[in-house]
Amino acid sequence: AIPRKEASKGAKVVALVNIGASVTNINILVRGQTAFWRDISAGGNQFTEALQREFNLSFDQAERLKREQAVDRYTASDARPVLDGVSAEMASEIQKTFDFFRATTSEDRIDRLFLSGGGCKVQGLRDLLADRFDSSVDFLNPFNSITYNPREFDPEFINDIGTSAAIAVGLAVRKVGDR
């Protein structure tokens, strides 16, 4: 529902980019309808593995560093060049998808990108994608459209997990016959 509302605000072509642990799903909508999709065999683990190699860390330590938590003597600023390199590789793969989409349709640009999945909040990735594609890039948080009791659910926690829950919430709100 969120992308269709946004599409009606002038964004004719919207890309939904879900960065999971090992796969990135790209779904391109034209006027709110799926026009193209592709899966890329890369995701959040590539960031973690790059940090492991660069700093000789365990997987858990690299995960914490990826989430901007200091590990031993390494800080988020130490991790930034490594993460930027992986982000550039991810952007190149996304670019290939967008190029193929444009080559096989009459659409000439992606107006808006929505990021979701556990790997989408890596520092610098959103800004890099916005610059690379000259498009608005936002995090897709399905809880922005869901009413919940803040006394029962911590709003900070709900906001934090929103991008990771986008697919699950999307599937949960479907009805028989939805396409």
Side-chain angles (χ1 to χ4, degrees), residues 45-79:
N45 286 346
Q46 275 63 34
F47 294 98
T48 306
E49 291 164 3
L51 291 170
Q52 281 183 280
R53 283 190 303 274
E54 182 68 23
F55 301 118
N56 196 29
L57 300 173
S58 70
F59 185 86
D60 290 339
Q61 289 173 316
E63 275 289 306
R64 287 197 320 269
L65 188 56
K66 178 175 80 173
R67 289 181 170 81
E68 301 183 52
Q69 299 170 15
V71 174
D72 294 333
R73 66 180 188 272
Y74 303 111
T75 65
S77 61
D78 295 322

Side-chain angles (χ1 to χ4, degrees), residues 5 13 19 25 33 38 46 48 50 68 72 76-77 82-83 89 99 105 107 113 130 142-143 145 156 173 176:
K5 287 179 188 174
V13 181
I19 303 172
N25 318 103
Q33 298 295 317
R38 175 181 178 224
Q46 275 63 34
T48 306
E68 301 183 52
D72 294 333
S77 61
V82 176
L83 297 175
E89 291 172 19
D99 289 346
T105 68
E107 306 301 333
L113 277 83
F143 297 122
S145 299
E156 188 175 320
V173 299
V176 174

Side-chain angles (χ1 to χ4, degrees), residues 113-141:
L113 277 83
F114 285 96
L115 301 178
S116 64
C120 77
K121 289 187 177 178
V122 169
Q123 60 175 316
L125 178 62
R126 178 182 173 187
D127 293 337
L128 180 132
L129 295 175
D131 289 343
R132 175 117 181 210
F133 301 120
D134 190 29
S135 296
S136 172
V137 179
D138 295 301
F139 294 117
L140 181 60
N141 185 344

Side-chain angles (χ1 to χ4, degrees), residues 91-111:
S92 292
E93 285 301 314
I94 294 168
Q95 179 75 57
K96 290 176 190 175
T97 300
F98 291 175
D99 289 346
F100 187 80
F101 166 74
R102 284 194 296 271
T104 58
T105 68
S106 61
E107 306 301 333
D108 62 348
R109 68 173 271 113
I110 306 293
D111 298 311

